Amino acid sequence: MPARAALVTGGARGLGAAAAERLRRDGLEVTTLDLADADISVDVTDEKVLRHVADRIGPVDVLVNSAGIVGPNKPLLETTPEQWRQVFDVNVLGTVNTLRTFVPGMCERGWGRVVNLASMAGKDGNPNLAAYSASKAAVIGLTKSIGKELATSGVLVNAIAPAVIATPMNEDTAPEVLAHITSLIPMGRIGRPEEVAELVAFLCSDQVSFSTGAVYDISGGRATY
């Protein structure tokens, strides 16, 4: 049986890079997408370009949506519509675009795994990160919806909601915001990318067969529901 093919967006660094490395260890043929420094440089907000990518790389069995931006680190009342549109274009519509592009082929073949990277911010709402929190709440709702839509197709769609993880993305987060969200973690530390990658690998495997539209917390005990 040929190796399964995986596509990881945001795969140049952070959680995407860790997930790609972990999936390769499981024997998957992984292609990473990112704005730069990935196997293919592409903007996930451009669905037309994504369709060209699909034609180029062929069938995809596993899709990990890790591309995302934090957006403005400031109170909601100081944010602009343009900032909100940018965050939602990448974090929400970027995920929708990859689903629309790569999931139909999975459905045709009767097997697929999709993992969307959400965030604890999408459940709890982090202060001074309203756009990011709202976008990740949207990813959770999106995952629940498409998980139900595809429940009998053989394609499972789940989300992961990490607490703060040691990634380059969080290097851009204001120190006081980072300190606040770290203080909410009962384990008293931030997570590591490889810890999230293990959960990604599990959700991309045949070991998962009766879970779809679910949200898996990886939060050091922060999650309360």
Side-chain angles (χ1 to χ4, degrees):
M1 179 178 176
R4 285 176 173 151
L7 185 69
V8 180
T9 73
R13 61 181 194 163
L15 296 182
E21 179 183 347
R22 180 63 182 80
L23 291 174
R24 287 188 178 110
R25 293 210 307 269
D26 277 349
L28 281 73
E29 294 184 357
V30 180
T31 300
T32 57
L33 300 185
D34 215 314
L35 292 175
D37 302 321
D39 295 321
I40 299 176
S41 296
V42 66
D43 186 340
V44 294
T45 66
D46 192 333
E47 188 177 32
K48 183 179 293 186
V49 172
L50 283 174
R51 295 195 180 278
H52 288 306
V53 171
D55 292 339
R56 172 179 167 184
I57 67 176
V60 169
D61 306 299
V62 168
L63 171 63
V64 179
N65 282 309
S66 186
I69 60 174
V70 174
N73 281 200
K74 60 181 66 175
L76 166 64
L77 300 183
E78 297 177 11
T79 60
T80 67
E82 290 73 21
Q83 289 172 326
W84 279 78
R85 290 190 188 99
Q86 182 184 27
V87 172
F88 270 72
D89 279 349
V90 177
N91 294 359
V92 183
L93 293 177
T95 299
V96 171
N97 289 343
T98 60
L99 293 171
R100 284 168 42 85
T101 301
F102 297 102
V103 168
M106 297 180 190
C107 293
E108 290 173 8
R109 295 184 296 277
W111 193 95
R113 297 289 185 269
V114 179
V115 177
N116 297 325
L117 269 295
S119 171
M120 284 304 302
K123 289 186 161 192
D124 289 356
N126 287 335
N128 298 317
L129 288 173
Y132 179 76
S133 299
S135 73
K136 292 303 186 177
V139 170
I140 289 171
L142 167 65
T143 301
K144 290 178 178 290
S145 291
I146 192 170
K148 291 178 174 66
E149 291 174 11
L150 302 180
T152 60
S153 69
V155 180
L156 307 183
V157 185
N158 293 293
I160 293 176
V164 61
I165 307 295
T167 66
M169 174 185 285
N170 284 315
E171 293 174 0
D172 299 327
T173 303
E176 63 274 13
V177 174
L178 198 59
H180 169 73
I181 55 182
T182 302
S183 74
L184 300 174
I185 299 174
M187 282 189 177
R189 67 171 177 87
I190 62 177
R192 300 188 299 273
E194 59 268 25
E195 292 175 311
V196 179
E198 287 295 333
L199 183 53
V200 171
F202 170 68
L203 292 174
C204 292
S205 72
D206 283 312
Q207 292 174 279
V208 178
S209 58
F210 194 55
S211 181
T212 196
V215 183
Y216 289 79
D217 298 324
I218 182 161
S219 67
R222 173 178 167 178
T224 56
Y225 71 99

